[in-house]
Amino acid sequence: MRPSPAAPRHPLPEGEGSRASVPRPAKRGEGGPKGRVRGPLFAAIAAFAFATAALAADCTAISPLTCGTTAASLSNSDCTASDGSQYRLWQFSGTVGDTIVIDMHSAAFDTYLLLLDPSGVPLAENDDSAGGVTDSRITFTLTSTGTWTVVANSLAASQSGSYTLSLVCPSTAHPRQRVARH
């Protein structure tokens, strides 16, 4: 089940999504970031973020996210969205131009991912990464350098349990070796 584009339901933490200007989504063929939310869905998520930023004011727990896979769980002690679903905030440092992949897998609940830029603006989301699969995946080319936030969420209320969150980072560039000419 996917959330309705007209009514996204995941509140963001205090201050997240509170920026007055929202970047224009890329048009088809412009080569925008992979995984970028476009059109009406983007507008709905941004509008929802502005309207609900204060709903999660009491949720200040943020966990660091590093490249690799992290095992975690959602429970009623985590942040609670206005729809009753649980979520946890994760942050990582990223560099403009890097393409990252975020995967969330759970056998216990239907996952939902949201990616916020360093200013707190939602730029990408995913419910089901493929048909018939309830895992979530975001592939995105970072549009700025800074601290990015991942919202790891259950899709529906009262869902909890173990999950894994993976962050695939660009590999470290290896300097080219010069070939000696004789």
Side-chain angles (χ1 to χ4, degrees):
M1 180 173 160
R2 294 181 187 268
S4 167
R9 65 212 195 354
H10 298 287
L12 301 174
E14 174 90 12
E16 303 290 2
S18 59
R19 202 168 103 181
S21 64
V22 176
R24 178 187 63 81
K27 293 180 183 174
R28 289 188 188 266
E30 280 188 334
K34 295 177 183 177
R36 176 172 233 157
V37 177
R38 291 180 170 87
L41 179 59
F42 178 81
I45 289 173
F48 182 76
F50 299 143
T52 62
L55 291 178
D58 61 339
C59 185
T60 58
I62 298 175
S63 301
L65 183 62
T66 57
C67 302
T69 300
T70 302
S73 64
L74 284 179
S75 69
N76 58 6
S77 65
D78 285 309
C79 306
T80 302
S82 61
D83 68 350
S85 65
Q86 307 306 131
Y87 68 94
R88 181 174 289 182
L89 303 174
W90 298 85
Q91 289 188 328
F92 67 94
S93 294
T95 303
V96 66
D98 286 350
T99 298
I100 52 98
V101 178
I102 307 162
D103 283 304
M104 185 176 180
H105 166 75
S106 178
F109 59 89
D110 191 355
T111 64
Y112 183 84
L113 280 172
L114 183 65
L115 177 65
L116 309 175
D117 76 3
S119 299
V121 175
L123 293 183
E125 58 85 34
N126 184 260
D127 171 18
D128 297 329
S129 60
V133 176
T134 61
D135 294 340
S136 302
R137 170 177 274 190
I138 294 174
T139 300
F140 192 82
T141 299
L142 302 181
T143 55
S144 62
T145 297
T147 302
W148 289 74
T149 302
V150 175
V151 181
N153 193 207
S154 61
L155 184 65
S158 303
Q159 290 184 331
S160 60
S162 297
Y163 69 93
T164 58
L165 188 64
S166 300
L167 176 62
V168 178
C169 302
S171 59
T172 305
H174 297 286
R176 292 185 183 186
Q177 294 181 358
R178 293 186 178 192
V179 176
R181 298 186 188 255
H182 299 287

